Amino acid sequence: MLQEVGDDAMHRLRLTSNLEDLCSADIIVEAIVESEDIKKKLFKDLDGIAKSSAILASNTSSISITRLASATRRPSQVIGMHFMNPPPIMKLVEIIRGADTSEETFLATKVLAERFGKTTVCSQDYAGFVVNRILMPMINEAFHTLYTGVATKEDIDSGMKHGTNHPMGPLELADLIGLDVCLSVMKVLHEGLGDSKYAPCPLLVQYVDAGRLGRKRGVGVYDYREATQKLSPRL
């Protein structure tokens, strides 16, 4: 039965690279690069393409929904719909209301997330929202702990997994998320909240400058290249 449900869902999926194909959508969820300028450009374009009743949602992990909504003529229909990574496994969707997000938009988005089988939490539109406001400073502090030589990366991650019952250590998680994304969120927190405690760790900045972005690049805090090579077929 589950296989049939999955197959049916796959048959209903349609891939496209043409924004114009979204003209009949009831809700559009944006999940592009974590850049306010690029997201605003996309929201402006979508505003001109989507039908007047459509909801425009952003999967941003830190950028102001109010500012994204300002790029459109429908701020009451713009909302944050932040899926935790990786979305097929993680149960949470964080819903963020902008300054002008309507109650109707909020309720429709919440119902949709729950139809996906997700648990929802609601956040006001402040830097980092709920999850990243708490998570990213923890990851940043893990980098400080490594940077100052308090412990090895392995012991930092093992300590947090076995000492606080986290499924992954903070440095492993940073590699999974992407160090560039972590740095971007820390910059948003630092600028948006104006507190020095949110300043990105110099080691995190250095890794990103070096292109050590995590699993997607094969190297971050940890080096994944050897494991990848072992899995690759020999020609």
Side-chain angles (χ1 to χ4, degrees), residues 8 22 34 65 70 81 90 96 113 143 149 173 175 182 188 192:
D8 181 58
L22 303 178
E34 192 73 352
I65 300 302
S70 71
M81 195 177 188
M90 301 298 283
I96 305 97
F143 272 93
L173 181 56
D175 274 351
C182 294
V188 169

Side-chain angles (χ1 to χ4, degrees), residues 151-184:
T152 65
K153 57 182 180 289
E154 292 85 2
D155 281 348
I156 293 167
D157 280 339
S158 182
M160 292 303 293
K161 283 190 288 187
H162 300 293
T164 62
N165 204 29
H166 288 195
M168 297 181 72
L171 298 173
E172 293 175 297
L173 181 56
D175 274 351
L176 178 63
I177 294 169
L179 302 194
D180 54 334
V181 176
C182 294
L183 178 58
S184 175

